[in-house]
Amino acid sequence: MASADGCIAIASRHFCEISKSGLVSFSNPDGAVFTCAFYNPYNSSHVFLGDSNGTLFEYLGHSLKARHSGHIEGRIVGMDCTPEGDLLILSQNSGSPVSIFDHNGGWHIASSFKTMDCPLPLQLVKVSDYVFAVCMGSKGIFAVDLAGTPLDFSDDSYSSFYPSADSRIGSEVCCMAMDPSGRL
């Protein structure tokens, strides 16, 4: 699910957008299940949908602008973007879980995430220069500092947080969000 400018998007077997002007719904042209929806925060009529086959659909308004396949392996489960317009895409591919579709139309594998020990990542959240990924079960949270250069992976640093039964959040993390004061 995603939201922007009074619209709510739901990704399922169909993509549904609910707004004050009504309901818009359409199905995946490839027949796969939509697994993720993301509104571009800098242009709310620019919507990205990911599917269970690793295909990224790019819509402008309600018209398909582009279909990107062959760049991502595995189910797409999360997206976020940089202020420059680079789209970070989280997939359930344990070898290369994060791909970047840059604002010039190029594709990159975010090599900093290859060390993430997470067979089933669930969510991606970008906060300033940091990107956080939630891993299923007790694998916790993996964080990467992009150091202000999202397409240069040589200066990235990363760490993991593994919750325990004694921690305030319990022994497993399943999702995360930012509060209005900027805390994760």
Side-chain angles (χ1 to χ4, degrees):
M1 204 162 77
S3 64
D5 290 344
C7 296
I8 296 173
I10 300 166
S12 66
R13 189 149 308 276
H14 302 278
F15 170 74
C16 299
E17 184 178 78
I18 305 163
S19 68
K20 291 178 182 176
S21 60
L23 172 71
V24 175
S25 179
F26 48 92
S27 59
N28 187 319
D30 294 341
V33 175
F34 287 124
T35 54
C36 189
F38 180 74
Y39 285 104
N40 180 339
Y42 307 102
N43 178 358
S44 61
S45 67
H46 193 195
V47 181
F48 292 93
L49 300 172
D51 77 8
S52 55
N53 293 333
T55 302
L56 179 70
F57 295 89
E58 184 177 2
Y59 286 86
L60 209 47
H62 297 117
S63 299
L64 181 63
K65 178 181 176 188
R67 177 186 173 279
H68 308 279
S69 60
H71 302 283
I72 301 166
E73 290 183 28
R75 172 186 296 263
I76 296 174
V77 293
M79 292 183 252
D80 211 326
C81 77
T82 67
E84 298 79 21
D86 302 323
L87 184 68
L88 299 128
I89 304 159
L90 179 67
S91 69
Q92 290 184 332
N93 174 350
S94 58
S96 301
V98 177
S99 300
I100 299 176
F101 177 52
D102 72 35
H103 61 280
N104 292 319
W107 285 91
H108 311 268
I109 299 296
S111 57
S112 304
F113 288 87
K114 287 186 175 191
T115 60
M116 183 171 75
D117 179 24
C118 180
L120 290 173
L122 297 174
Q123 183 186 17
L124 185 82
V125 174
K126 184 176 178 320
V127 180
S128 190
D129 277 343
Y130 296 90
V131 178
F132 299 91
V134 173
C135 299
M136 181 177 255
S138 61
K139 293 295 186 181
I141 298 170
F142 188 79
V144 172
D145 179 355
L146 299 174
T149 56
L151 299 178
D152 177 6
F153 310 111
S154 66
D155 60 356
D156 293 357
S157 58
Y158 52 87
S159 64
S160 297
F161 171 72
Y162 301 98
S164 68
D166 301 342
S167 73
R168 289 178 27 184
I169 61 172
S171 61
E172 293 189 11
V173 178
C174 59
C175 63
M176 59 187 159
M178 293 296 295
D179 71 12
S181 64
R183 291 180 296 203
L184 190 63

